[in-house]
Amino acid sequence: MYRVLKFGGSSVASATNVSRVLDIVEAEAKKGCVILVSSAISGCTDALLSGDEAQFREMERRHADMVRRLFTGPQRIALQERMKALFGQMRQAPADEKVTFGEIFSTTILAEKLETEGYRTIWLDSRDLVVKGDEATTYKRIKSAVKATQADIFVAPGFICQDGDGKISTLGRGGSDYSAALYAAAVQAESLQIWTDVPGIMTANPKQVPAARTVPRMSYGAALDMASHGAKVLYAPTVAPAMSAGIDIEIRNTFAPDGKYTVIGNCPDASRWIGVASEKGNIRLVGAQMPDVTGDDAVENAGKALAEAGIAAVKMTPDGPSLNIEVREGVLDQALRALHRAFFQELPVQEVNLFIAGNGAVGQALVKMVRESAGAVKERTGKHLRIVGLANSTQYGIDLGGNPVIGKKGDYIRAILEEASKGSIFVDASNSETLYLRYPELLQAGIGIVSSNRRSFAGSYTDFAAVHLAARENGAPLRYETTVGAALPILDSIARGANSCDEVLSIEAVVSCTLNQILSDYRPGGASFAAMVKKAQEAGLTEPDPRLDLGGKDALRKLLILAREAGIPLEEAQVKVQPIVPPELLQGSLGQFYEGLEAYEPQWAQQAMEAEQQGFRRRFVAWLEKKDEGYVAGIGLRNVPPVHPAYHLRGTENAIIVRSAFHPYPLVIQGPGEGAREAASSILNDILR
Ligand code: ASP
Ligand code: MG
């Protein structure tokens, strides 16, 4: 069985390089009969084409140098004589034949060296065997020449041949690859190896695109597409003979023989895009050879990739599975890099494991949202979110593979501490009043915390500060934007002011969605206030116990968080809370509460009517104000005039109005302040920050 090895000009450029070639050939000769096809040494073909005697002399010197280094004694002298004679013949040869001597020079030295190494070596004259444009004859001649003799290694010059009339000719620049494929096809070689100076066919020319990488396998079609559109690593006509003979083409690197390489063969392409090649300002984005695939799908992405690099394509034309792109000459390399980045470079992806606590409306919305948007999030941010822990108030489930099922009793936090890696995120989407006591343990383990549970931040200021300290000491993120106004960027805005030493003079927060909804929908004589509260409770719009909303507890928690975010260590006891209805009504059982509220309807209707007559709207406001003696804070029902930003709130909108020392006008943030989806999106964004 035959193994065809072709070496390019740089592989045989010097004695040192030739010794690498010998190592490779030696290993291959153990596996079968080697047919070694070689180019001229690098620069030689150009030198011969120049017709310039000075360049001839330089080539003669380089070859003599190789001979001197590779041989000794009488052999050296004999070969020096032969080389001298060959250079003489070259000088005598007609101008158009001079170029055919480069491969004769190189293969003469190689054959002689292999003979010296003890291999039975036969030099084949490609000028007799290879007939340009007539593969049938070429194959016949090669086969009989090779079969006629017993040899370990055949050495044949690449590139050179005869034309149909028997006149000496060449196969075109880069044609040695093609010579090798002809030799391989003729003898049905078991291996065809093109040894060059790069690690196979790459996703781009590494000289233009440093991030280019080797394509390990590609189809004949894709290789042909790359080669015919400027990928110099392979001479395009090489593909056809190998393909019809069903022989794989290996493209390997002489200078890293054990490194990466490409196998071209009868295989489907592994990915949609193969590489990007270029020729004279024309870029070719080479697509996989797949039936029914067209390059049309790339137009938009290619345009976007170029636009991001500030380049406008002159023209883009899909061609089969590939895409032709024309750009201005000056931006060619930049364009290649931009396209390569978009189509071939996977950006690093960071895995983020999420342990979620709370399986209510918010928890469930979050799980759904994370699962639905994980792909898009990864694209946008490079973060791959994976839910690995879930829990309700009594049970949990952990699965680092991403499919946790709630069902285990026990200490969820302890289990997380055992399983979670640093950089994981614990999400508190629960309503637990005590879970925050465990936050410091998680933070100490380097686990970040994202919370929508406002109970966690509305306890004593000491507890609040302790959690923050644990986060800071351990460099673990702690975020809870969701706790006030759901997805509205309220806390972030307040923190920004505080961070830049702006001082808060007052905060007015209309942050109870349910009450806003009821206050704006209420009409005296329509559904009673009690009925509306009940309806909201049943729709899940209130806290589980609606008295937390009506009594101002929920607004109080939000106010504490707002104040603390502004750097004011506000405590619950400092806030004057006036429930929306007389406090006596909030006592007893839930049933008693609704009864009492129903009985209170006449007074409620009266108040509402009075406010309306005076041109006011009623809003439940949590407020904080800087006075000479310090901050004072309260919560209560207020009549607001049309000039007040909160006058125009609709439905469950929230508004917060912050006046600060730096600014003559207040910061007003207004928008949807509630809903499981809003909360989930806010949590998601805290996770991604
Ligand atoms: N020596 C020829 C050239 O430089 C053929 C080859 O290297 O493949 O074009
Ligand atoms: Mg070449």
Side-chain angles (χ1 to χ4, degrees):
M1 282 302 253
Y2 298 94
R3 307 175 75 75
V4 175
L5 277 64
K6 179 262 169 177
F7 291 91
S10 51
S11 299
V12 292
S14 66
T16 318
N17 295 0
V18 165
S19 61
R20 293 176 199 275
V21 169
L22 293 176
D23 287 342
I24 293 164
V25 171
E26 215 161 280
E28 288 295 306
K30 293 199 178 96
K31 302 181 204 158
C33 177
V34 168
I35 299 177
L36 188 165
V37 177
S38 179
S39 297
I41 70 170
S42 58
C44 188
T45 303
D46 288 333
L48 296 178
L49 281 172
S50 75
D52 171 14
E53 177 52 33
Q55 293 198 37
F56 293 172
R57 268 203 302 276
E58 168 64 9
M59 277 305 138
E60 195 164 6
R61 188 196 59 74
R62 274 181 59 197
H63 283 88
D65 223 45
M66 284 169 71
V67 170
R68 196 167 40 73
R69 283 167 181 252
L70 292 169
F71 300 87
T72 53
Q75 234 179 347
R76 180 196 277 174
I77 295 163
L79 189 55
Q80 278 170 342
E81 286 306 310
R82 260 173 77 198
M83 293 306 288
K84 212 167 169 180
L86 285 173
F87 269 90
Q89 282 176 33
M90 182 272 290
R91 288 187 171 93
Q92 300 300 305
D96 60 338
E97 278 180 29
K98 288 192 195 320
V99 69
T100 64
F101 278 82
E103 273 70 9
I104 296 178
F105 300 150
S106 64
T107 52
T108 299
I109 296 174
L110 284 167
E112 191 63 27
K113 182 66 186 172
L114 288 163
E115 184 75 46
T116 317
E117 298 286 316
Y119 295 101
R120 280 172 304 165
T121 307
I122 303 279
W123 186 84
L124 296 172
D125 194 339
S126 302
R127 293 170 296 193
D128 295 337
L129 304 182
V130 179
V131 183
K132 188 148 85 175
D134 184 353
E135 291 185 353
T137 309
T138 301
Y139 293 164
K140 218 172 343 150
R141 290 190 186 173
I142 290 175
K143 210 152 55 182
S144 59
V146 167
K147 302 268 149 99
T149 8
Q150 281 288 323
D152 301 318
I153 298 173
F154 292 94
V155 177
F159 183 52
I160 60 177
C161 63
Q162 58 176 258
D163 62 17
D165 305 326
K167 189 178 159 3
I168 293 171
S169 182
T170 76
L171 297 172
R173 292 309 303 266
S176 294
D177 295 347
Y178 180 38
S179 308
L182 292 172
Y183 275 96
V187 300
Q188 273 300 316
E190 60 178 346
S191 178
L192 169 57
Q193 305 169 12
I194 310 279
W195 289 85
T196 175
D197 53 8
V198 289
I201 301 186
M202 305 181 80
T203 48
N205 180 345
K207 289 192 189 114
Q208 293 164 305
V209 183
R213 60 183 150 74
T214 300
V215 183
R217 280 201 77 91
M218 70 170 76
S219 64
Y220 291 117
L224 183 59
D225 201 334
M226 291 287 288
S228 16
H229 293 92
K232 293 206 184 52
V233 56
L234 181 68
Y235 185 49
T238 313
V239 176
M243 185 163 119
S244 3
I247 302 169
D248 285 356
I249 309 170
E250 289 175 22
I251 313 285
R252 310 188 61 134
N253 185 0
T254 304
F255 303 93
D258 299 322
K260 294 199 173 119
Y261 63 99
T262 301
V263 181
I264 301 161
N266 194 3
C267 60
D269 287 305
S271 55
R272 169 70 185 90
W273 297 106
I274 306 301
V276 58
S278 76
E279 209 166 27
K280 301 186 206 100
N282 289 304
I283 297 175
R284 175 99 164 167
L285 182 61
V286 174
Q289 309 291 302
M290 297 169 173
D292 307 328
V293 165
T294 68
D296 301 48
D297 63 335
V299 173
E300 195 185 321
N301 287 340
K304 225 164 57 189
L306 291 171
E308 272 166 27
I311 297 167
V314 176
K315 209 160 118 192
M316 289 203 263
T317 342
D319 177 16
S322 303
L323 178 65
N324 290 325
I325 302 160
E326 205 184 308
V327 295
R328 279 183 306 107
E329 191 91 49
V331 296
L332 179 67
D333 284 12
Q334 247 172 296
L336 284 168
R337 283 196 284 267
L339 290 165
H340 190 270
R341 210 177 306 122
F343 286 85
F344 300 98
Q345 275 157 263
E346 286 264 331
L347 294 165
V349 170
Q350 185 193 346
E351 297 288 336
V352 181
N353 284 346
L354 304 178
F355 294 87
I356 300 174
N359 197 32
V362 174
Q364 285 176 19
L366 177 65
V367 169
K368 187 160 175 272
M369 188 176 283
V370 168
R371 295 207 165 127
E372 280 171 2
S373 58
V377 163
K378 187 169 138 190
E379 276 273 299
R380 288 173 55 88
T381 65
K383 291 187 182 176
H384 180 224
L385 303 181
R386 195 165 41 185
I387 297 169
V388 295
L390 285 175
N392 57 30
S393 54
T394 54
Q395 301 189 332
Y396 72 91
I398 291 180
D399 172 29
L400 294 183
N403 282 309
V405 180
I406 298 178
K408 227 169 145 173
K409 288 207 161 65
D411 186 343
Y412 183 40
I413 303 299
R414 171 137 8 113
I416 293 173
L417 290 170
E418 275 162 20
E419 304 233 22
S421 50
K422 212 174 154 190
S424 299
I425 291 182
F426 176 76
V427 178
D428 182 355
S430 79
N431 284 328
S432 166
E433 308 244 3
T434 51
L435 194 48
Y436 78 92
L437 295 169
R438 311 291 300 274
Y439 286 3
E441 284 171 71
L442 292 160
L443 294 165
Q444 274 148 24
I447 298 166
I449 289 177
V450 171
S451 181
S452 63
N453 182 359
R454 66 185 68 94
R455 289 155 186 78
S456 304
F457 304 92
S460 72
Y461 185 77
T462 322
D463 282 356
F464 176 89
V467 171
H468 275 267
L469 188 66
R472 236 173 53 204
E473 280 177 351
N474 297 286
L478 169 66
R479 292 169 195 133
Y480 43 93
E481 180 64 74
T482 320
T483 56
V484 183
L488 296 179
I490 292 177
L491 298 184
D492 203 32
S493 308
I494 291 190
R496 278 162 179 265
N499 290 345
S500 50
C501 294
D502 195 2
E503 187 190 20
V504 166
L505 301 180
S506 77
I507 296 176
E508 284 172 278
V510 184
V511 283
S512 178
C513 304
T514 320
L515 294 182
N516 281 344
Q517 175 91 64
I518 295 175
L519 287 169
S520 32
D521 288 356
Y522 180 82
R523 294 282 168 276
S528 71
F529 182 55
M532 292 176 86
V533 172
K534 185 141 206 190
K535 199 167 145 220
Q537 186 201 353
E538 279 159 9
L541 293 173
T542 62
E543 290 290 305
D545 183 339
R547 287 176 288 184
L548 290 181
D549 295 294
L550 269 58
K553 181 75 177 172
D554 188 57
L556 169 71
R557 287 181 176 138
K558 290 172 181 164
L559 182 63
L560 289 173
I561 297 172
L562 285 169
R564 290 168 183 183
E565 212 55 23
I568 304 157
L570 193 67
E571 294 281 9
E572 185 172 336
Q574 294 170 259
V575 185
K576 285 174 275 172
V577 182
Q578 283 181 300
I580 199 164
V581 291
E584 316 82 77
L585 287 177
L586 302 174
Q587 250 99 75
S589 72
L590 210 54
Q592 288 164 331
F593 155 69
Y594 275 119
E595 265 171 43
L597 198 58
E598 198 56 69
Y600 181 68
E601 178 67 17
Q603 282 110 299
W604 179 266
Q606 177 66 30
Q607 284 172 21
M609 230 133 64
E610 277 171 23
E612 200 178 316
Q613 280 158 9
Q614 291 162 30
F616 293 131
R617 285 185 181 166
R618 301 205 295 164
R619 298 286 178 242
F620 198 52
V621 182
W623 55 270
L624 172 89
E625 213 178 314
K626 188 173 188 237
K627 294 261 159 85
D628 290 341
E629 67 272 24
Y631 283 94
V632 292
I635 292 170
L637 203 51
R638 264 201 210 165
N639 287 338
V640 298
V643 291
H644 195 281
Y647 182 89
H648 299 285
L649 293 184
R650 292 150 298 189
T652 58
E653 274 183 322
N654 278 192
I656 96 139
I657 301 123
V658 182
R659 292 188 170 75
S660 70
F662 285 179
H663 305 289
Y665 307 113
L667 168 72
V668 178
I669 299 170
Q670 177 191 335
E674 200 166 78
R677 207 189 168 280
E678 285 75 7
S681 98
S682 176
I683 292 174
L684 183 59
N685 280 291
D686 271 358
I687 290 169
L688 294 172
R689 255 178 45 195

